[in-house]
Amino acid sequence: MSTPQSRGAEALRTAVRALGRLAVLTLLVPVGAVLAVLYLVSFLLWGCLGMVPLFPAATRVVRSLAGAARWASGHWSQVPVPVPYMPLPPLERTLHGWFWTGHDYHKNRRFASFARTLRWLWNDPATWRDAGWLLADPLVGGAVAAAPPLLVGYGLYGLAQPVLPQPGLDYGLLPLSGLLGPLLGLVLVPAGLALARPALHLHGRWTRSLLGPTERSRLAQRVEQLTEIRLDATEAQAAELRRIERDLHDGAQARLVAVSLRLGAVVPLIDRDPEKAKQVVTDAQENVTQALQELRDLVRGIHPPVLAERGLAEGVRALALDVPLKVDVRAELPGRAEAPVESAVYFAVSEALTNAVKHGDARHATVELSHAAGLLRAEVTDDGRGGADPAGGSGLRGIQRRLSVFDGTLTLTSPPGGPTRLIMELPCALSSPRTSSC
């Protein structure tokens, strides 16, 4: 249980951390100012001397600095700023060998690629928002970031006056002497620390206001995202159909063919060798039983009966019983979601638990299901070794594709050493509860 002293120490550490980040942002202000001047010079050289390649090169440098500002806003200020740039249009080649840039035709591929890139950068509204941010941030963003460090530095200077070699205090704008300097320091240092976190958050909001996506880029990104989702859903559906076909062909179908052949051999054996005929019928019956079990397993892999009959909470509880680790399931679902949504969450949770066993060497996991503000939320936490990465082929990409079909999101936190935490959210509405014990 936390004590007032521990809470105060944590608040002080958070304020000092925010103050250090503001100091870093303040030191980067001159870099932005110099880059703004160079960006303006690239425009002048382009317009006056026709030095066209300078504009794309300078724009990419500006985008790199803007990307760093978005990263700092999301990781330091806790204000996420999505990347707003429109996708680069493809370079299409005609049947006659010419390249279409989206505006005109070119014979040379390199020149066509450059013309396409130049037109893409020039027509993207985010390019000019980056330029506006580059010009305004040294004044506005720099002032917001520099205020708390200056207050703390000013206050520390005042506190240090009694031990400085020269007596007296010169604050420049506020010339003070005697004990007024330390007293003023006792006010400015706490004030600067108290303003550090709000100033850092305000700096993030300022960054998002200029570097966030415009409505046009947001729509373009949405179109691209929906196109990728459609392709992923089509590929996943085709892969699932191939799996079902393979399982039927190699499993139930092969057994049923064997049963048919065995039953065909029974007819001549009934009169000649009744005992042998009975044995063949018994073997055929066993094959039919095994084929039925394989069909049940196949149906369970497509849509588990417990999920259809009793809902997501009970389906996940039944799933937890089959996982070789201890799983606690906590569910607060006032109703039922649509069957495809429940199925997506069910198999996503199943994949997450499988990863916890197979890749994380976990011994305990927790699954929490809830619904609030139109979002169905499933959180899976395990005590494994951590280090999960969607690019590592551990099934997380499959979870992302499964959720993206329903416009869902996956948030992963998995530091080395654990724990691993997956948060899956899908927008959906719940109907009235049918059969559930949650």
Side-chain angles (χ1 to χ4, degrees):
M1 183 176 180
S2 61
T3 62
Q5 292 80 3
S6 63
R7 290 195 295 268
E10 180 62 26
L12 179 60
R13 285 193 295 268
T14 303
V16 172
R17 190 183 305 116
L19 191 70
R21 291 170 175 175
L22 288 172
V24 173
L25 293 174
T26 303
L27 294 177
L28 292 178
V29 168
V31 177
V34 172
L35 187 57
V37 174
L38 295 178
Y39 202 38
L40 291 176
V41 170
S42 70
F43 275 98
L44 293 177
L45 293 177
W46 181 14
C48 299
L49 302 180
M51 302 177 68
V52 180
L54 287 179
F55 171 71
T59 302
R60 293 187 183 279
V61 174
V62 172
R63 288 193 171 189
S64 298
L65 184 62
R70 294 187 188 94
W71 182 92
S73 178
H75 290 76
W76 289 358
S77 304
Q78 306 303 316
V79 181
V81 183
V83 178
Y85 305 119
M86 297 177 62
L88 180 66
L91 187 63
E92 301 177 359
R93 188 170 187 173
T94 65
L95 296 176
H96 300 286
W98 291 74
F99 294 95
W100 170 246
T101 65
H103 176 66
D104 47 14
Y105 293 94
H106 295 278
K107 185 68 175 178
N108 184 274
R109 182 184 182 89
R110 180 175 299 179
F111 188 81
S113 178
F114 176 78
R116 175 198 55 171
T117 302
L118 181 64
R119 181 177 177 82
W120 167 58
L121 294 174
W122 182 268
N123 291 333
D124 192 348
T127 298
W128 309 110
R129 290 171 64 86
D130 287 354
W133 166 81
L134 193 65
L135 296 174
D137 188 66
L139 298 176
V140 181
V144 173
L150 288 178
L151 288 177
V152 173
Y154 219 41
L156 292 176
Y157 178 73
L159 291 174
Q161 282 303 304
V163 298
L164 291 178
Q166 295 181 355
L169 174 68
D170 184 10
Y171 264 92
L173 296 177
L174 297 173
L176 298 173
S177 60
L179 295 177
L180 291 180
L183 291 177
L184 186 60
L186 291 175
V187 174
L188 293 181
V189 172
L193 291 174
L195 291 175
R197 290 186 64 188
L200 188 62
H201 185 73
L202 180 61
H203 189 276
R205 295 182 60 183
W206 157 257
T207 303
R208 184 173 62 183
S209 66
L210 289 185
L211 297 183
T214 62
E215 188 64 26
R216 181 180 177 183
S217 62
R218 190 180 293 111
L219 290 175
Q221 289 177 345
R222 184 59 176 163
V223 170
E224 184 179 13
Q225 180 185 11
L226 291 176
T227 301
E228 293 179 358
I229 290 174
R230 184 189 63 183
L231 293 176
D232 289 341
T234 303
E235 293 177 0
Q237 184 181 25
E240 186 70 9
L241 290 175
R242 287 193 299 268
R243 182 188 69 83
I244 294 173
E245 180 183 7
R246 183 174 60 253
D247 291 347
L248 287 174
H249 181 271
D250 298 340
Q253 179 179 339
R255 293 190 181 278
L256 292 176
V257 170
V259 169
S260 177
L261 294 176
R262 288 179 179 273
L263 291 178
V266 168
V267 177
L269 290 175
I270 291 178
D271 296 329
R272 188 174 70 247
D273 191 350
E275 293 299 326
K276 183 65 175 179
K278 291 180 181 179
Q279 182 62 38
V280 172
V281 172
T282 302
D283 292 342
Q285 186 179 12
E286 291 178 357
N287 280 333
V288 170
T289 303
Q290 293 178 0
L292 289 174
Q293 184 60 43
E294 290 178 356
L295 288 174
R296 292 191 188 99
D297 294 339
L298 182 62
V299 170
R300 188 178 296 110
I302 299 173
H303 192 76
V306 66
L307 182 64
E309 296 171 1
R310 307 189 65 184
L312 179 60
E314 296 301 331
V316 172
R317 287 192 176 99
L319 174 66
L321 297 176
D322 296 331
V323 179
L325 76 161
K326 184 179 179 181
V327 181
D328 294 332
V329 180
R330 306 165 191 167
E332 295 181 3
L333 298 177
R336 295 281 302 271
E338 295 294 331
V341 175
E342 287 189 339
S343 179
V345 175
Y346 174 88
F347 285 107
V349 171
S350 175
E351 183 66 31
L353 294 177
T354 301
N355 288 340
V357 176
K358 184 177 179 181
H359 303 284
D361 295 331
R363 298 182 179 180
H364 180 268
T366 302
V367 181
E368 298 183 8
L369 303 172
S370 61
H371 185 273
L375 287 177
L376 177 61
R377 177 187 175 101
E379 180 176 333
V380 182
T381 307
D382 67 73
D383 60 354
R385 63 181 178 218
D389 185 4
S394 59
L396 296 174
R397 294 291 300 273
I399 296 178
Q400 288 179 328
R401 288 194 297 267
R402 189 182 294 274
L403 299 180
S404 64
V405 175
F406 302 94
D407 207 14
T409 59
L410 172 66
T411 304
L412 171 66
T413 303
S414 183
T420 296
R421 183 186 182 197
L422 285 83
I423 300 177
M424 297 165 277
E425 294 181 329
L426 289 84
C428 71
L430 298 186
S431 60
S432 58
R434 297 173 219 167
T435 305
S436 178
S437 63
C438 61

mmCIF file with all atom_site columns, all heavy atoms in Angstrom, residues 126-148:
data_model
loop_
_atom_site.group_PDB
_atom_site.id
_atom_site.type_symbol
_atom_site.label_atom_id
_atom_site.label_alt_id
_atom_site.label_comp_id
_atom_site.label_asym_id
_atom_site.label_entity_id
_atom_site.label_seq_id
_atom_site.pdbx_PDB_ins_code
_atom_site.Cartn_x
_atom_site.Cartn_y
_atom_site.Cartn_z
_atom_site.occupancy
_atom_site.B_iso_or_equiv
_atom_site.pdbx_formal_charge
_atom_site.auth_seq_id
_atom_site.auth_comp_id
_atom_site.auth_asym_id
_atom_site.auth_atom_id
_atom_site.pdbx_PDB_model_num
ATOM 1   N N   . ALA A 1 126 ? 0.060  18.146 -45.550 1.00 0.00 ? 126 ALA A N   1
ATOM 2   C CA  . ALA A 1 126 ? 0.920  17.974 -44.384 1.00 0.00 ? 126 ALA A CA  1
ATOM 3   C C   . ALA A 1 126 ? 2.293  18.599 -44.594 1.00 0.00 ? 126 ALA A C   1
ATOM 4   O O   . ALA A 1 126 ? 2.965  18.980 -43.620 1.00 0.00 ? 126 ALA A O   1
ATOM 5   C CB  . ALA A 1 126 ? 1.061  16.491 -44.064 1.00 0.00 ? 126 ALA A CB  1
ATOM 6   N N   . THR A 1 127 ? 2.745  18.721 -45.856 1.00 0.00 ? 127 THR A N   1
ATOM 7   C CA  . THR A 1 127 ? 4.031  19.363 -46.123 1.00 0.00 ? 127 THR A CA  1
ATOM 8   C C   . THR A 1 127 ? 4.018  20.803 -45.650 1.00 0.00 ? 127 THR A C   1
ATOM 9   O O   . THR A 1 127 ? 4.968  21.285 -45.010 1.00 0.00 ? 127 THR A O   1
ATOM 10  C CB  . THR A 1 127 ? 4.347  19.295 -47.621 1.00 0.00 ? 127 THR A CB  1
ATOM 11  O OG1 . THR A 1 127 ? 4.450  17.926 -48.026 1.00 0.00 ? 127 THR A OG1 1
ATOM 12  C CG2 . THR A 1 127 ? 5.643  20.011 -47.937 1.00 0.00 ? 127 THR A CG2 1
ATOM 13  N N   . TRP A 1 128 ? 2.938  21.515 -45.928 1.00 0.00 ? 128 TRP A N   1
ATOM 14  C CA  . TRP A 1 128 ? 2.855  22.930 -45.567 1.00 0.00 ? 128 TRP A CA  1
ATOM 15  C C   . TRP A 1 128 ? 2.514  23.097 -44.084 1.00 0.00 ? 128 TRP A C   1
ATOM 16  O O   . TRP A 1 128 ? 2.890  24.096 -43.474 1.00 0.00 ? 128 TRP A O   1
ATOM 17  C CB  . TRP A 1 128 ? 1.817  23.615 -46.452 1.00 0.00 ? 128 TRP A CB  1
ATOM 18  C CG  . TRP A 1 128 ? 2.095  23.307 -47.889 1.00 0.00 ? 128 TRP A CG  1
ATOM 19  C CD1 . TRP A 1 128 ? 1.368  22.524 -48.726 1.00 0.00 ? 128 TRP A CD1 1
ATOM 20  C CD2 . TRP A 1 128 ? 3.238  23.730 -48.639 1.00 0.00 ? 128 TRP A CD2 1
ATOM 21  N NE1 . TRP A 1 128 ? 1.962  22.434 -49.957 1.00 0.00 ? 128 TRP A NE1 1
ATOM 22  C CE2 . TRP A 1 128 ? 3.113  23.168 -49.933 1.00 0.00 ? 128 TRP A CE2 1
ATOM 23  C CE3 . TRP A 1 128 ? 4.339  24.532 -48.351 1.00 0.00 ? 128 TRP A CE3 1
ATOM 24  C CZ2 . TRP A 1 128 ? 4.058  23.388 -50.925 1.00 0.00 ? 128 TRP A CZ2 1
ATOM 25  C CZ3 . TRP A 1 128 ? 5.296  24.743 -49.336 1.00 0.00 ? 128 TRP A CZ3 1
ATOM 26  C CH2 . TRP A 1 128 ? 5.137  24.176 -50.614 1.00 0.00 ? 128 TRP A CH2 1
ATOM 27  N N   . ARG A 1 129 ? 1.846  22.124 -43.501 1.00 0.00 ? 129 ARG A N   1
ATOM 28  C CA  . ARG A 1 129 ? 1.646  22.166 -42.048 1.00 0.00 ? 129 ARG A CA  1
ATOM 29  C C   . ARG A 1 129 ? 2.980  21.952 -41.327 1.00 0.00 ? 129 ARG A C   1
ATOM 30  O O   . ARG A 1 129 ? 3.229  22.580 -40.285 1.00 0.00 ? 129 ARG A O   1
ATOM 31  C CB  . ARG A 1 129 ? 0.634  21.104 -41.637 1.00 0.00 ? 129 ARG A CB  1
ATOM 32  C CG  . ARG A 1 129 ? -0.789 21.419 -42.086 1.00 0.00 ? 129 ARG A CG  1
ATOM 33  C CD  . ARG A 1 129 ? -1.719 20.233 -41.856 1.00 0.00 ? 129 ARG A CD  1
ATOM 34  N NE  . ARG A 1 129 ? -1.864 19.914 -40.443 1.00 0.00 ? 129 ARG A NE  1
ATOM 35  C CZ  . ARG A 1 129 ? -2.745 20.479 -39.632 1.00 0.00 ? 129 ARG A CZ  1
ATOM 36  N NH1 . ARG A 1 129 ? -3.560 21.412 -40.105 1.00 0.00 ? 129 ARG A NH1 1
ATOM 37  N NH2 . ARG A 1 129 ? -2.820 20.127 -38.370 1.00 0.00 ? 129 ARG A NH2 1
ATOM 38  N N   . ASP A 1 130 ? 3.825  21.077 -41.878 1.00 0.00 ? 130 ASP A N   1
ATOM 39  C CA  . ASP A 1 130 ? 5.166  20.917 -41.314 1.00 0.00 ? 130 ASP A CA  1
ATOM 40  C C   . ASP A 1 130 ? 5.959  22.215 -41.410 1.00 0.00 ? 130 ASP A C   1
ATOM 41  O O   . ASP A 1 130 ? 6.677  22.599 -40.468 1.00 0.00 ? 130 ASP A O   1
ATOM 42  C CB  . ASP A 1 130 ? 5.919  19.805 -42.047 1.00 0.00 ? 130 ASP A CB  1
ATOM 43  C CG  . ASP A 1 130 ? 5.397  18.425 -41.700 1.00 0.00 ? 130 ASP A CG  1
ATOM 44  O OD1 . ASP A 1 130 ? 4.526  18.328 -40.813 1.00 0.00 ? 130 ASP A OD1 1
ATOM 45  O OD2 . ASP A 1 130 ? 5.846  17.447 -42.331 1.00 0.00 ? 130 ASP A OD2 1
ATOM 46  N N   . ALA A 1 131 ? 5.831  22.892 -42.553 1.00 0.00 ? 131 ALA A N   1
ATOM 47  C CA  . ALA A 1 131 ? 6.553  24.158 -42.726 1.00 0.00 ? 131 ALA A CA  1
ATOM 48  C C   . ALA A 1 131 ? 6.047  25.211 -41.740 1.00 0.00 ? 131 ALA A C   1
ATOM 49  O O   . ALA A 1 131 ? 6.837  25.953 -41.144 1.00 0.00 ? 131 ALA A O   1
ATOM 50  C CB  . ALA A 1 131 ? 6.392  24.657 -44.167 1.00 0.00 ? 131 ALA A CB  1
ATOM 51  N N   . GLY A 1 132 ? 4.717  25.270 -41.551 1.00 0.00 ? 132 GLY A N   1
ATOM 52  C CA  . GLY A 1 132 ? 4.174  26.210 -40.570 1.00 0.00 ? 132 GLY A CA  1
ATOM 53  C C   . GLY A 1 132 ? 4.628  25.896 -39.155 1.00 0.00 ? 132 GLY A C   1
ATOM 54  O O   . GLY A 1 132 ? 4.951  26.804 -38.371 1.00 0.00 ? 132 GLY A O   1
ATOM 55  N N   . TRP A 1 133 ? 4.661  24.606 -38.836 1.00 0.00 ? 133 TRP A N   1
ATOM 56  C CA  . TRP A 1 133 ? 5.152  24.208 -37.510 1.00 0.00 ? 133 TRP A CA  1
ATOM 57  C C   . TRP A 1 133 ? 6.618  24.575 -37.343 1.00 0.00 ? 133 TRP A C   1
ATOM 58  O O   . TRP A 1 133 ? 7.038  25.036 -36.276 1.00 0.00 ? 133 TRP A O   1
ATOM 59  C CB  . TRP A 1 133 ? 4.963  22.708 -37.336 1.00 0.00 ? 133 TRP A CB  1
ATOM 60  C CG  . TRP A 1 133 ? 5.719  22.136 -36.178 1.00 0.00 ? 133 TRP A CG  1
ATOM 61  C CD1 . TRP A 1 133 ? 5.357  22.162 -34.867 1.00 0.00 ? 133 TRP A CD1 1
ATOM 62  C CD2 . TRP A 1 133 ? 6.988  21.469 -36.237 1.00 0.00 ? 133 TRP A CD2 1
ATOM 63  N NE1 . TRP A 1 133 ? 6.317  21.550 -34.092 1.00 0.00 ? 133 TRP A NE1 1
ATOM 64  C CE2 . TRP A 1 133 ? 7.324  21.114 -34.905 1.00 0.00 ? 133 TRP A CE2 1
ATOM 65  C CE3 . TRP A 1 133 ? 7.859  21.134 -37.269 1.00 0.00 ? 133 TRP A CE3 1
ATOM 66  C CZ2 . TRP A 1 133 ? 8.508  20.445 -34.608 1.00 0.00 ? 133 TRP A CZ2 1
ATOM 67  C CZ3 . TRP A 1 133 ? 9.034  20.479 -36.975 1.00 0.00 ? 133 TRP A CZ3 1
ATOM 68  C CH2 . TRP A 1 133 ? 9.346  20.141 -35.658 1.00 0.00 ? 133 TRP A CH2 1
ATOM 69  N N   . LEU A 1 134 ? 7.416  24.379 -38.401 1.00 0.00 ? 134 LEU A N   1
ATOM 70  C CA  . LEU A 1 134 ? 8.837  24.676 -38.326 1.00 0.00 ? 134 LEU A CA  1
ATOM 71  C C   . LEU A 1 134 ? 9.083  26.159 -38.050 1.00 0.00 ? 134 LEU A C   1
ATOM 72  O O   . LEU A 1 134 ? 10.031 26.519 -37.330 1.00 0.00 ? 134 LEU A O   1
ATOM 73  C CB  . LEU A 1 134 ? 9.507  24.261 -39.629 1.00 0.00 ? 134 LEU A CB  1
ATOM 74  C CG  . LEU A 1 134 ? 11.036 24.209 -39.652 1.00 0.00 ? 134 LEU A CG  1
ATOM 75  C CD1 . LEU A 1 134 ? 11.540 23.136 -38.711 1.00 0.00 ? 134 LEU A CD1 1
ATOM 76  C CD2 . LEU A 1 134 ? 11.534 23.944 -41.066 1.00 0.00 ? 134 LEU A CD2 1
ATOM 77  N N   . LEU A 1 135 ? 8.238  27.033 -38.604 1.00 0.00 ? 135 LEU A N   1
ATOM 78  C CA  . LEU A 1 135 ? 8.401  28.469 -38.401 1.00 0.00 ? 135 LEU A CA  1
ATOM 79  C C   . LEU A 1 135 ? 7.849  28.926 -37.049 1.00 0.00 ? 135 LEU A C   1
ATOM 80  O O   . LEU A 1 135 ? 8.420  29.818 -36.413 1.00 0.00 ? 135 LEU A O   1
ATOM 81  C CB  . LEU A 1 135 ? 7.704  29.236 -39.528 1.00 0.00 ? 135 LEU A CB  1
ATOM 82  C CG  . LEU A 1 135 ? 8.271  29.042 -40.939 1.00 0.00 ? 135 LEU A CG  1
ATOM 83  C CD1 . LEU A 1 135 ? 7.401  29.749 -41.963 1.00 0.00 ? 135 LEU A CD1 1
ATOM 84  C CD2 . LEU A 1 135 ? 9.713  29.550 -41.015 1.00 0.00 ? 135 LEU A CD2 1
ATOM 85  N N   . ALA A 1 136 ? 6.746  28.320 -36.610 1.00 0.00 ? 136 ALA A N   1
ATOM 86  C CA  . ALA A 1 136 ? 6.095  28.805 -35.384 1.00 0.00 ? 136 ALA A CA  1
ATOM 87  C C   . ALA A 1 136 ? 6.595  28.117 -34.125 1.00 0.00 ? 136 ALA A C   1
ATOM 88  O O   . ALA A 1 136 ? 6.520  28.704 -33.029 1.00 0.00 ? 136 ALA A O   1
ATOM 89  C CB  . ALA A 1 136 ? 4.579  28.613 -35.498 1.00 0.00 ? 136 ALA A CB  1
ATOM 90  N N   . ASP A 1 137 ? 7.102  26.887 -34.243 1.00 0.00 ? 137 ASP A N   1
ATOM 91  C CA  . ASP A 1 137 ? 7.465  26.144 -33.032 1.00 0.00 ? 137 ASP A CA  1
ATOM 92  C C   . ASP A 1 137 ? 8.588  26.789 -32.227 1.00 0.00 ? 137 ASP A C   1
ATOM 93  O O   . ASP A 1 137 ? 8.541  26.750 -30.989 1.00 0.00 ? 137 ASP A O   1
ATOM 94  C CB  . ASP A 1 137 ? 7.842  24.712 -33.414 1.00 0.00 ? 137 ASP A CB  1
ATOM 95  C CG  . ASP A 1 137 ? 8.041  23.841 -32.192 1.00 0.00 ? 137 ASP A CG  1
ATOM 96  O OD1 . ASP A 1 137 ? 7.044  23.595 -31.474 1.00 0.00 ? 137 ASP A OD1 1
ATOM 97  O OD2 . ASP A 1 137 ? 9.185  23.401 -31.944 1.00 0.00 ? 137 ASP A OD2 1
ATOM 98  N N   . PRO A 1 138 ? 9.626  27.379 -32.853 1.00 0.00 ? 138 PRO A N   1
ATOM 99  C CA  . PRO A 1 138 ? 10.648 28.021 -32.021 1.00 0.00 ? 138 PRO A CA  1
ATOM 100 C C   . PRO A 1 138 ? 10.089 29.119 -31.121 1.00 0.00 ? 138 PRO A C   1
ATOM 101 O O   . PRO A 1 138 ? 10.645 29.376 -30.045 1.00 0.00 ? 138 PRO A O   1
ATOM 102 C CB  . PRO A 1 138 ? 11.631 28.594 -33.054 1.00 0.00 ? 138 PRO A CB  1
ATOM 103 C CG  . PRO A 1 138 ? 11.503 27.694 -34.231 1.00 0.00 ? 138 PRO A CG  1
ATOM 104 C CD  . PRO A 1 138 ? 10.032 27.340 -34.275 1.00 0.00 ? 138 PRO A CD  1
ATOM 105 N N   . LEU A 1 139 ? 8.999  29.762 -31.540 1.00 0.00 ? 139 LEU A N   1
ATOM 106 C CA  . LEU A 1 139 ? 8.411  30.821 -30.716 1.00 0.00 ? 139 LEU A CA  1
ATOM 107 C C   . LEU A 1 139 ? 7.417  30.265 -29.705 1.00 0.00 ? 139 LEU A C   1
ATOM 108 O O   . LEU A 1 139 ? 7.560  30.469 -28.490 1.00 0.00 ? 139 LEU A O   1
ATOM 109 C CB  . LEU A 1 139 ? 7.717  31.846 -31.623 1.00 0.00 ? 139 LEU A CB  1
ATOM 110 C CG  . LEU A 1 139 ? 8.621  32.588 -32.619 1.00 0.00 ? 139 LEU A CG  1
ATOM 111 C CD1 . LEU A 1 139 ? 7.791  33.501 -33.512 1.00 0.00 ? 139 LEU A CD1 1
ATOM 112 C CD2 . LEU A 1 139 ? 9.689  33.381 -31.883 1.00 0.00 ? 139 LEU A CD2 1
ATOM 113 N N   . VAL A 1 140 ? 6.421  29.537 -30.186 1.00 0.00 ? 140 VAL A N   1
ATOM 114 C CA  . VAL A 1 140 ? 5.361  29.056 -29.295 1.00 0.00 ? 140 VAL A CA  1
ATOM 115 C C   . VAL A 1 140 ? 5.825  27.822 -28.516 1.00 0.00 ? 140 VAL A C   1
ATOM 116 O O   . VAL A 1 140 ? 5.825  27.802 -27.281 1.00 0.00 ? 140 VAL A O   1
ATOM 117 C CB  . VAL A 1 140 ? 4.084  28.745 -30.100 1.00 0.00 ? 140 VAL A CB  1
ATOM 118 C CG1 . VAL A 1 140 ? 2.971  28.256 -29.167 1.00 0.00 ? 140 VAL A CG1 1
ATOM 119 C CG2 . VAL A 1 140 ? 3.626  29.977 -30.863 1.00 0.00 ? 140 VAL A CG2 1
ATOM 120 N N   . GLY A 1 141 ? 6.201  26.774 -29.247 1.00 0.00 ? 141 GLY A N   1
ATOM 121 C CA  . GLY A 1 141 ? 6.643  25.556 -28.582 1.00 0.00 ? 141 GLY A CA  1
ATOM 122 C C   . GLY A 1 141 ? 7.873  25.783 -27.724 1.00 0.00 ? 141 GLY A C   1
ATOM 123 O O   . GLY A 1 141 ? 7.996  25.221 -26.628 1.00 0.00 ? 141 GLY A O   1
ATOM 124 N N   . GLY A 1 142 ? 8.802  26.615 -28.216 1.00 0.00 ? 142 GLY A N   1
ATOM 125 C CA  . GLY A 1 142 ? 9.993  26.905 -27.429 1.00 0.00 ? 142 GLY A CA  1
ATOM 126 C C   . GLY A 1 142 ? 9.668  27.630 -26.146 1.00 0.00 ? 142 GLY A C   1
ATOM 127 O O   . GLY A 1 142 ? 10.256 27.351 -25.092 1.00 0.00 ? 142 GLY A O   1
ATOM 128 N N   . ALA A 1 143 ? 8.727  28.574 -26.207 1.00 0.00 ? 143 ALA A N   1
ATOM 129 C CA  . ALA A 1 143 ? 8.349  29.300 -24.987 1.00 0.00 ? 143 ALA A CA  1
ATOM 130 C C   . ALA A 1 143 ? 7.688  28.381 -23.970 1.00 0.00 ? 143 ALA A C   1
ATOM 131 O O   . ALA A 1 143 ? 7.976  28.449 -22.766 1.00 0.00 ? 143 ALA A O   1
ATOM 132 C CB  . ALA A 1 143 ? 7.417  30.457 -25.352 1.00 0.00 ? 143 ALA A CB  1
ATOM 133 N N   . VAL A 1 144 ? 6.793  27.489 -24.451 1.00 0.00 ? 144 VAL A N   1
ATOM 134 C CA  . VAL A 1 144 ? 6.123  26.552 -23.538 1.00 0.00 ? 144 VAL A CA  1
ATOM 135 C C   . VAL A 1 144 ? 7.133  25.602 -22.904 1.00 0.00 ? 144 VAL A C   1
ATOM 136 O O   . VAL A 1 144 ? 7.075  25.316 -21.698 1.00 0.00 ? 144 VAL A O   1
ATOM 137 C CB  . VAL A 1 144 ? 5.032  25.760 -24.294 1.00 0.00 ? 144 VAL A CB  1
ATOM 138 C CG1 . VAL A 1 144 ? 4.452  24.659 -23.415 1.00 0.00 ? 144 VAL A CG1 1
ATOM 139 C CG2 . VAL A 1 144 ? 3.926  26.696 -24.748 1.00 0.00 ? 144 VAL A CG2 1
ATOM 140 N N   . ALA A 1 145 ? 8.092  25.115 -23.711 1.00 0.00 ? 145 ALA A N   1
ATOM 141 C CA  . ALA A 1 145 ? 9.063  24.154 -23.185 1.00 0.00 ? 145 ALA A CA  1
ATOM 142 C C   . ALA A 1 145 ? 10.088 24.806 -22.273 1.00 0.00 ? 145 ALA A C   1
ATOM 143 O O   . ALA A 1 145 ? 10.561 24.181 -21.314 1.00 0.00 ? 145 ALA A O   1
ATOM 144 C CB  . ALA A 1 145 ? 9.773  23.459 -24.347 1.00 0.00 ? 145 ALA A CB  1
ATOM 145 N N   . ALA A 1 146 ? 10.439 26.056 -22.542 1.00 0.00 ? 146 ALA A N   1
ATOM 146 C CA  . ALA A 1 146 ? 11.523 26.697 -21.784 1.00 0.00 ? 146 ALA A CA  1
ATOM 147 C C   . ALA A 1 146 ? 11.061 27.286 -20.461 1.00 0.00 ? 146 ALA A C   1
ATOM 148 O O   . ALA A 1 146 ? 11.894 27.490 -19.565 1.00 0.00 ? 146 ALA A O   1
ATOM 149 C CB  . ALA A 1 146 ? 12.167 27.791 -22.639 1.00 0.00 ? 146 ALA A CB  1
ATOM 150 N N   . ALA A 1 147 ? 9.764  27.577 -20.306 1.00 0.00 ? 147 ALA A N   1
ATOM 151 C CA  . ALA A 1 147 ? 9.313  28.281 -19.103 1.00 0.00 ? 147 ALA A CA  1
ATOM 152 C C   . ALA A 1 147 ? 9.630  27.529 -17.804 1.00 0.00 ? 147 ALA A C   1
ATOM 153 O O   . ALA A 1 147 ? 10.276 28.092 -16.903 1.00 0.00 ? 147 ALA A O   1
ATOM 154 C CB  . ALA A 1 147 ? 7.815  28.584 -19.217 1.00 0.00 ? 147 ALA A CB  1
ATOM 155 N N   . PRO A 1 148 ? 9.224  26.264 -17.631 1.00 0.00 ? 148 PRO A N   1
ATOM 156 C CA  . PRO A 1 148 ? 9.543  25.584 -16.363 1.00 0.00 ? 148 PRO A CA  1
ATOM 157 C C   . PRO A 1 148 ? 11.040 25.421 -16.106 1.00 0.00 ? 148 PRO A C   1
ATOM 158 O O   . PRO A 1 148 ? 11.496 25.665 -14.982 1.00 0.00 ? 148 PRO A O   1
ATOM 159 C CB  . PRO A 1 148 ? 8.830  24.234 -16.504 1.00 0.00 ? 148 PRO A CB  1
ATOM 160 C CG  . PRO A 1 148 ? 7.729  24.484 -17.466 1.00 0.00 ? 148 PRO A CG  1
ATOM 161 C CD  . PRO A 1 148 ? 8.294  25.445 -18.440 1.00 0.00 ? 148 PRO A CD  1
#
